[in-house]
């Protein structure tokens, strides 16, 4: 939809004869992408994410490498027959395939938020799209470097440095994110007296960590042999911009920690008002960015230089779909041996079909240096074609497939993620008289679930399960309660803040309900709401 | 057989503690664990068994450092000894408890890892005096363990009261096993209380 608006706008501008600058990578990576990723990281259901982390990483790393190599080699092989009209080299094709092989978080968010598939499916596709960019960018740089050097000049050391830079990019970024996250949490401990600036810190620090990672990335990679080669030859500014793409993953650990320390683990550090402000500003910024990105994509479809090569486009789309499917099936088969929740055939289909490409791929295609790769225009055009195909054809028909194949939908019992995050769902559910949903919030279930978690953690310890999920959770919880929270929060008495939070929310709902039913609770002038609640609860218990 | 021998060498156990193939088959029959899972868990079992007499005592369990920091660690250990006649459990009993946490397979009905057995295990965490009811005090004790020490009694009591109020169907101010199950009706206990045991 947004794309169509963009195309229409582009046509209007085109007919008027105005020249519109395309989305520059600088604007994209510095101003458009961070809000979206911040939003995604901030609202990430972390329980779900960490329960599936191994699966997500396997898809993000192995899956993406497989896609890039397979698509690149196949395109090259097809190119050998001369069907594209001119000669293509292997590294050029690999460069192109590394651009279009990564699943894009913006597109996935836009489509998957709407279709409400079950949470495991959602988190795997979405988590993959968030984490695979480190792979993409390393591959991209590697192939760009190789193109420049020419195949005969590539030394074995270059392959190793490629692998090494992957670890630097991903682990270094995570580390920076964690440091900034902890720092922010620590600051938020001391901002309680100035509530107005409270909501600002998450944004400022999130963005700071993004920029720091950027600088770090630049210098960190510089030391590597092959990167250095390109660097001396390429124009510096362009290269600087390239590096930015990975950095959005750095923001994720920061935002995790931010949210955890803000509301999950210690709501005492930030006031309820500030919390709501942060949530709404995040959502608003992200939505705005997303809109602009798609509009700009539409505009540049109409305006840019294009070089349409039917066979190349067709084969790109074909290979993208086929290899994604193969990758998903093979990896799922291996992963299912270790997973409790088996990924069945239908889910695998949705996963391979939901591999949408989007704005990140487009921006990466735009920054290819035309002096090195003469076929740049063709690549840009093809990338746009692939994006259109995945977003329009796949994105629109996926809803249909979800219905036909009876994909387990997000059931009634799990409330939409947004509602939960905004904390309004309980009230809404109650208003809608959905007793069952309301009941889910009951403290008995919550307590039972905590008990179950501890049981499972204990059993995993007894049975000595290597890397058991529950076991890890238990250990982290212990570490968190013992060392981190006393340091980072004002009031660290409570080990299970969730229980208390839910409890007070329940009381609130009770009170509201009671008032609505015109109960006998009399609100006297000057009586505070909390006393009212307290009185009410006591009365309730005495019954 | 080869596996058993190699296991023995790795663990350096006495021959009397060796796991016989017939025994593996029996345990496989009873609990549904695969032979390789049984062997793996057996090596864990012998590892925990510091006295080398083929049984585990409470102290053997509590020697696991992470179990000691688990708020419910004591109770989990206690639950292992529900099966036992005295204060030691043997490998068969150990496996019988662990088999509760096997994932539920639709086609293979197994009594030990049914939904009810899983829930029963969770229920036992609260119900210390085995009267099949969770009283207010029992609930409070569990809350205390999980939430930590420095929290006001009043607050905890408030939560406990509310929880009982919610779950209590027959108005006796206790939670029976049936009431306990009905509060968890919509929770995916089968998945939440299962581990994919390593092979």
């Amino acid at each position: 939809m947004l794309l169509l608006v963009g195309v229409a706008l582009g046509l209007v501008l085109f007919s008027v004869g105005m020249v519109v600058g395309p989305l520059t990578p600088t604007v994209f990576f510095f101003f458009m992408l961070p809000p979206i990723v911040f939003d995604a990281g901030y609202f990430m259901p972390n329980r779900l994410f960490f329960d599936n982390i191994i699966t997500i990483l396997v898809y993000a790393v192995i899956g993406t490498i497989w896609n890039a190599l397979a698509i690149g080699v196949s395109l090259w092989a097809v190119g050998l027959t001369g069907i594209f009209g001119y000669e293509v080299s292997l590294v050029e094709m690999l460069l192109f395939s590394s651009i279009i092989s990564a699943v894009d978080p913006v597109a996935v968010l836009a489509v998957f938020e709407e279709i409400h598939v079950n949470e495991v499916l959602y988190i795997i596709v979405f988590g993959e799209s968030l984490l695979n960019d480190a792979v993409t960018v390393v591959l991209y740089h590697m192939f760009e470097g190789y193109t420049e050097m020419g195949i005969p000049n590539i030394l074995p050391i270059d392959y190793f440095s490629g692998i090494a830079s992957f670890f630097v990019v991903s682990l270094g970024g995570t580390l920076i994110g964690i440091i900034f996250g902890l720092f922010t949490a620590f600051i938020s401990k001391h901002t309680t007296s100035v509530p107005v600036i409270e909501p600002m810190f998450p944004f400022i620090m999130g963005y700071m960590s993004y920029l720091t990672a950027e600088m770090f990335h630049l210098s960190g990679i510089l030391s590597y042999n092959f990167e250095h080669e390109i660097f001396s030859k390429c124009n510096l500014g362009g290269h600087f911009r390239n590096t930015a793409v990975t950095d959005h993953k750095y923001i994720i650990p920061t935002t995790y920690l931010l949210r955890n320390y803000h509301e999950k683990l210690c709501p005492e550090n930030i006031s309820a008002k500030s919390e709501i402000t942060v949530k709404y500003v995040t959502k608003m910024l992200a939505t705005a960015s997303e809109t602009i990105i798609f509009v700009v994509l539409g505009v540049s479809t109409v305006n840019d230089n294009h070089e349409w090569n039917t066979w190349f486009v067709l084969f790109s789309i074909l290979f993208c779909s086929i290899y994604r499917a193969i990758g998903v099936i093979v990896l799922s088969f291996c992963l299912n041996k270790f997973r409790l929740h088996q990924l069945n055939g239908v889910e695998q289909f949705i996963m391979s079909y939901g591999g949408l490409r989007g704005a990140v791929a487009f921006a990466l295609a735009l920054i290819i240096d035309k002096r090195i790769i003469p076929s740049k225009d063709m690549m840009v055009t093809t990338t746009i074609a692939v994006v259109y195909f995945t977003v329009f054809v796949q994105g629109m028909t996926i809803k249909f497939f979800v219905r036909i194949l009876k994909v387990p939908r997000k059931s009634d019992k799990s409330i939409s993620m947004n509602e939960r995050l905004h904390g309004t769902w309980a009230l809404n559910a109650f208003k809608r008289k959905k007793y069952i949903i309301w009941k889910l919030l009951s403290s008995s279930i919550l307590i039972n679930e905590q008990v179950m978690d501890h049981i499972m953690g204990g059993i995993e310890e007894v049975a000595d399960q290597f890397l058991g999920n529950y076991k890890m959770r238990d250990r982290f919880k212990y570490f968190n309660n013992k060392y981190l929270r006393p340091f980072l929060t004002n009031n660290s008495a409570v080990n299970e803040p969730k229980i208390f939070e839910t409890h007070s929310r329940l009381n609130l709902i009770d009170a509201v309900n009671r008032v609505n039913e015109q109960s006998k609770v009399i609100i006297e002038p000057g009586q505070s709401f909390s006393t009212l609640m307290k009185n009410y609860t006591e009365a309730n218990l005495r019954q | 057989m080869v596996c058993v021998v190699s296991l023995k060498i790795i663990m350096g156990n006495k021959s009397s503690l060796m796991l016989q193939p017939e025994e593996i088959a029996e345990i496989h029959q009873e609990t549904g664990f695969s032979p390789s899972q049984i062997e793996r868990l057996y090596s864990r079992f012998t590892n925990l068994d510091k006295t080398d007499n083929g049984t585990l005592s409470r102290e053997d369990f509590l020697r696991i450092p992470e179990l000691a920091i688990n708020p419910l660690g004591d109770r989990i250990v206690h639950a292992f000894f529900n099966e036992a006649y005295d204060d030691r459990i043997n490998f068969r009993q150990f496996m019988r408890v662990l088999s509760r946490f096997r994932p539920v397979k639709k086609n293979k009905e197994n009594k030990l890892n049914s939904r009810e057995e899983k829930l029963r295990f969770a229920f036992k965490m609260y119900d210390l005096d085995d009267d099949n009811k969770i009283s207010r005090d029992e609930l409070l004790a569990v809350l205390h363990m999980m939430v930590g020490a420095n929290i006001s009694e009043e607050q905890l009591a408030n939560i406990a009261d509310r929880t009982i109020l919610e779950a209590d169907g027959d108005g006796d101010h206790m939670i029976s096993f049936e009431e306990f199950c009905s509060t968890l009706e919509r929770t995916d206990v089968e998945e939440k209380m299962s581990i994919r045991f390593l092979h």
Side-chain angles (χ1 to χ4, degrees), chain A residues 267-320:
Chain A
E268 55 268 22
N269 261 12
I270 187 163
S271 69
K273 270 184 193 165
S274 311
E275 193 188 314
I276 291 169
T277 315
V278 173
K279 279 175 180 172
Y280 277 94
V281 173
T282 309
K283 273 271 172 249
M284 198 194 71
L285 282 177
T287 315
S289 295
E290 206 171 298
T291 312
I292 295 172
I293 286 174
F294 277 107
V295 168
V296 170
L297 197 62
V299 170
S300 63
T301 320
V302 184
N303 271 326
D304 274 354
N305 298 326
H306 285 300
E307 195 184 329
W308 179 262
N309 188 328
T310 313
W311 287 112
F312 191 66
V313 171
L314 279 182
F315 276 111
S316 301
I317 292 177
L318 185 71
F319 288 139
C320 267

Side-chain angles (χ1 to χ4, degrees), chain A residues 93-107:
Chain A
M93 284 303 108
L94 285 172
L95 176 68
F96 174 69
S97 67
S98 69
I99 293 173
I100 58 164
S101 61
V103 177
D104 182 271
V106 185

Side-chain angles (χ1 to χ4, degrees), chain A residues 110-131:
Chain A
V111 170
F112 272 64
E113 283 264 276
E114 242 175 71
I115 56 175
H116 295 298
V117 288
N118 65 37
E119 285 165 324
V120 177
L121 200 54
Y122 173 83
I123 201 74
I124 290 177
V125 179
F126 180 54
E128 179 198 346
S129 72
L130 274 180
L131 298 185

Side-chain angles (χ1 to χ4, degrees), chain A residues 171-184 205 209-210 213 249-258:
Chain A
L171 296 182
T174 313
L175 193 71
I176 289 180
I178 290 174
I179 292 171
F180 269 91
L182 288 178
F183 185 55
T184 316
M205 298 308 280
S209 84
Y210 186 84
K249 86 176 278 293
Y250 301 159
I251 221 169
I252 298 169
T254 323
T255 46
Y256 267 143
L257 285 164
L258 283 180

Side-chain angles (χ1 to χ4, degrees), chain A residues 326-363:
Chain A
I326 294 176
V328 166
I329 290 169
V330 172
L331 290 177
S332 304
F333 178 76
C334 301
L335 285 165
N336 268 345
K337 290 194 187 310
F338 303 100
R339 283 180 60 86
L340 198 60
H341 176 101
Q342 301 280 307
L343 299 165
N344 59 32
V346 173
E347 285 174 320
Q348 286 175 27
F349 173 75
I350 296 297
M351 274 162 65
S352 47
Y353 202 73
L356 307 173
R357 273 59 164 192
V360 176
F362 172 65

Side-chain angles (χ1 to χ4, degrees), chain A residues 428-471:
Chain A
N428 285 338
F430 199 80
K431 277 186 204 145
R432 278 186 252 125
K433 303 274 180 222
K434 279 195 180 166
Y435 181 71
I436 297 157
I437 295 184
W438 136 258
K439 178 116 185 171
L440 254 185
L441 193 86
S442 67
S443 33
S444 50
I445 290 182
L446 197 75
I447 294 169
N448 278 327
E449 287 188 349
Q450 307 273 351
V451 168
M452 282 184 206
D453 283 347
H454 286 308
I455 295 175
M456 300 316 290
I459 295 294
E460 280 182 350
E461 295 289 356
V462 169
D464 192 27
Q465 299 293 305
F466 176 67
L467 286 181
N469 273 338
Y470 293 101
K471 177 171 139 180

